[in-house]
Amino acid sequence: MAPTERFAARTAGMTASEIRALFAVASRPEVVSLAGGMPNLAALPLESLAAEVADLVARDGQVALQYGSAQGTPELREQICEVMALEGIQADPDDVVVTVGSQMALDLVTRIFCDPGDVVLAEGPSYVGALGSFAAYQARVVHVAMDEHGLVPELLTDALRTLAAQGITPKFLYTIPNFHNPAGVTLAVERRAEVLEICARFGVGVVEDNPYGLLGFSGRTYPALRSMDRDVVYLGSFSKTFASGLRVGWALAPPAVRDRLVLAAESATLCPPSFTQMLVSRYLAGHDWRSQIKTFTEAYRDRRDAMLSALETYLPDGFTWNIPDGGFYVWVTVPEGIDTKAMLPRAVTARVAYASGTGFYADGFGSRQLRLSYCYPTPERITEGVRRLAGVLEAELDVMRTFGTPTRTTLGPGRSGPQAPSPHTP
């Protein structure tokens, strides 16, 4: 019997994301990559961190290099509560579970809640890593559309009513309320309590994924959903506000959920690495991490501005995009007839890479959208990348003008305009 014949049925849903498959090409130096959401670490005080690492090994190496608790070090869990307090969250360190990046936290949450065939609600579009976790555990994703103010409460209610008529209660709503990946929009404050009320009315849990919440360009920090409802499972990360390579994230959960998360974490990794936790803890205790976040945010705002300026300068009429107030991404909608997934090889040939919108949907949508990431390239490289992309798009439009626009089937009411992250087109 071939090894593949012995695989579990759930491995059928374990496929490489379109973005990961793109990385090998996008990492070539001649290609301007606007595809991946890699944080820009140039502003980190590397010499100071190097000294911190050396001192950590010299003073506490026997602890830092040893096994630790499956829940995470007590000191770091206390500091995580201080970080979350900036978003209005009052938390007990005992309810924090440290994980190897927030992706692990998301995987554990899906594992303890979802059986094969269960339904998860997610914004449309949604984070590709979340879709991968849901697929790996054979959960079915039902998308709920957004507008310029984030998740639309009326559409959330419609989706829940439709599912209830079929006898289905989703296990949870997965949401990225702040500076959404990939759509770049933020859930309006006045909608947050409404979304929580709707989910409570239908008996649906809420998982709040918030890696970008402290990276707002206006200086405003939005109240977390968890600050309004202690039953929300909150996922956080130091990947965007410190260093992604350390892979330190966390989940804040009600006690009953926390206990299951700890058991699941023990079976997955036994314990998160003590070394990286202790390094993050030292960084938070001994460095002005708030000023460091401000430095990151200013750099990302400059890059965002370069992206928006280049889009205005180079993209022809008929293209729309949102104006993000934080985070890493701009979400672009292209004219009818252009397929961003089919166009991607031609863009790479022109030495520019982006992420096609299809990777951010579980149901085949997104071919008229693409995600552009401005966090990593310099402003000059961003401008050049958009210029190259505009040339590819102009060529696509020329083909359409010559041979006609392909016929498309509209699956719902269309949306237009720069603040339309989720038009209902295939």
Side-chain angles (χ1 to χ4, degrees), residues 150-270:
L151 185 70
V152 180
E154 294 79 8
L155 297 181
L156 174 61
T157 300
D158 290 347
L160 286 167
R161 284 174 175 164
T162 299
L163 290 168
Q166 303 170 26
I168 298 172
T169 300
K171 285 300 180 77
F172 55 80
L173 166 68
Y174 170 76
T175 179
I176 307 172
N178 300 319
F179 320 127
H180 188 275
N181 176 11
V185 299
T186 294
L187 180 62
V189 172
E190 56 270 21
R191 287 186 179 181
R192 298 186 179 217
E194 186 176 1
V195 167
L196 291 171
E197 187 277 327
I198 292 168
C199 288
R201 187 175 358 127
F202 283 88
V204 175
V206 176
V207 176
E208 177 182 16
D209 195 358
N210 190 33
Y212 308 98
L214 299 181
L215 297 175
F217 300 147
S218 66
R220 179 181 185 183
T221 300
Y222 293 91
L225 298 176
R226 169 70 192 216
S227 72
M228 304 175 181
D229 185 343
R230 294 182 66 85
D231 287 332
V232 170
V233 177
Y234 177 98
L235 309 182
S237 175
F238 290 107
S239 290
K240 310 301 187 295
T241 58
F242 182 22
S244 55
L246 292 176
R247 309 307 303 131
V248 178
W250 71 90
L252 171 66
V257 177
R258 174 209 61 204
D259 292 343
R260 298 299 192 281
L261 287 175
V262 172
L263 292 174
E266 286 177 335
S267 69
T269 62
L270 188 61

Side-chain angles (χ1 to χ4, degrees), residues 60-358:
D60 299 309
Q62 292 195 43
V63 176
L65 301 175
Q66 185 57 275
Y67 289 123
S69 164
Q71 192 170 348
T73 66
E75 182 178 7
L76 180 58
R77 288 190 277 117
E78 291 177 2
Q79 292 167 313
I80 285 171
C81 290
E82 295 173 7
V83 172
M84 292 188 294
L86 297 177
E87 297 173 319
I89 296 174
Q90 296 180 345
D92 189 318
D94 285 345
D95 293 332
V96 175
V97 180
V98 180
T99 55
V100 184
S102 61
Q103 179 67 36
M104 176 185 171
L106 178 58
D107 184 90
L108 296 179
V109 166
T110 310
R111 187 199 304 187
I112 67 172
F113 278 111
C114 292
D115 290 315
D118 282 344
V119 169
V120 171
L121 293 174
E123 292 136 340
S126 189
Y127 167 51
V128 65
L131 299 181
S133 287
F134 303 152
Y137 290 102
Q138 298 174 284
R140 181 165 68 93
V141 176
V142 172
H143 286 297
V144 181
M146 294 181 285
D147 62 15
E148 67 270 26
H149 303 299
L151 185 70
V152 180
E154 294 79 8
L155 297 181
L156 174 61
T157 300
D158 290 347
L160 286 167
R161 284 174 175 164
T162 299
L163 290 168
Q166 303 170 26
I168 298 172
T169 300
K171 285 300 180 77
F172 55 80
L173 166 68
Y174 170 76
T175 179
I176 307 172
N178 300 319
F179 320 127
H180 188 275
N181 176 11
V185 299
T186 294
L187 180 62
V189 172
E190 56 270 21
R191 287 186 179 181
R192 298 186 179 217
E194 186 176 1
V195 167
L196 291 171
E197 187 277 327
I198 292 168
C199 288
R201 187 175 358 127
F202 283 88
V204 175
V206 176
V207 176
E208 177 182 16
D209 195 358
N210 190 33
Y212 308 98
L214 299 181
L215 297 175
F217 300 147
S218 66
R220 179 181 185 183
T221 300
Y222 293 91
L225 298 176
R226 169 70 192 216
S227 72
M228 304 175 181
D229 185 343
R230 294 182 66 85
D231 287 332
V232 170
V233 177
Y234 177 98
L235 309 182
S237 175
F238 290 107
S239 290
K240 310 301 187 295
T241 58
F242 182 22
S244 55
L246 292 176
R247 309 307 303 131
V248 178
W250 71 90
L252 171 66
V257 177
R258 174 209 61 204
D259 292 343
R260 298 299 192 281
L261 287 175
V262 172
L263 292 174
E266 286 177 335
S267 69
T269 62
L270 188 61
C271 60
S274 298
F275 182 85
T276 53
Q277 292 180 78
M278 293 176 71
L279 179 57
V280 172
S281 185
R282 278 173 165 245
Y283 170 76
L284 294 173
H287 296 257
D288 189 355
W289 56 271
R290 290 178 177 83
S291 292
Q292 185 63 55
I293 291 175
K294 183 180 179 182
T295 299
F296 281 140
T297 301
E298 291 172 351
Y300 295 140
R301 183 173 55 229
D302 290 344
R303 285 162 166 76
R304 186 277 313 263
D305 291 346
M307 174 75 75
L308 295 177
S309 177
L311 291 172
E312 287 283 357
T313 299
Y314 293 111
L315 258 58
D317 292 340
F319 294 82
T320 60
W321 53 89
N322 66 301
I323 301 175
D325 191 33
F328 286 4
Y329 306 109
V330 171
W331 187 244
V332 178
T333 297
V334 304
E336 188 84 12
I338 295 179
D339 185 324
T340 61
K341 183 175 182 180
M343 187 184 76
L344 186 54
R346 295 186 283 279
V348 172
T349 300
R351 296 174 299 145
V352 62
Y354 60 84
S356 169
T358 55

Side-chain angles (χ1 to χ4, degrees), residues 335-339 367-368 399-400 403-411 425-426:
E336 188 84 12
I338 295 179
D339 185 324
S367 63
R368 278 191 58 202
V399 171
M400 287 169 51
F403 296 101
T405 303
T407 301
R408 289 180 175 269
T409 302
T410 301
L411 298 186
T425 51

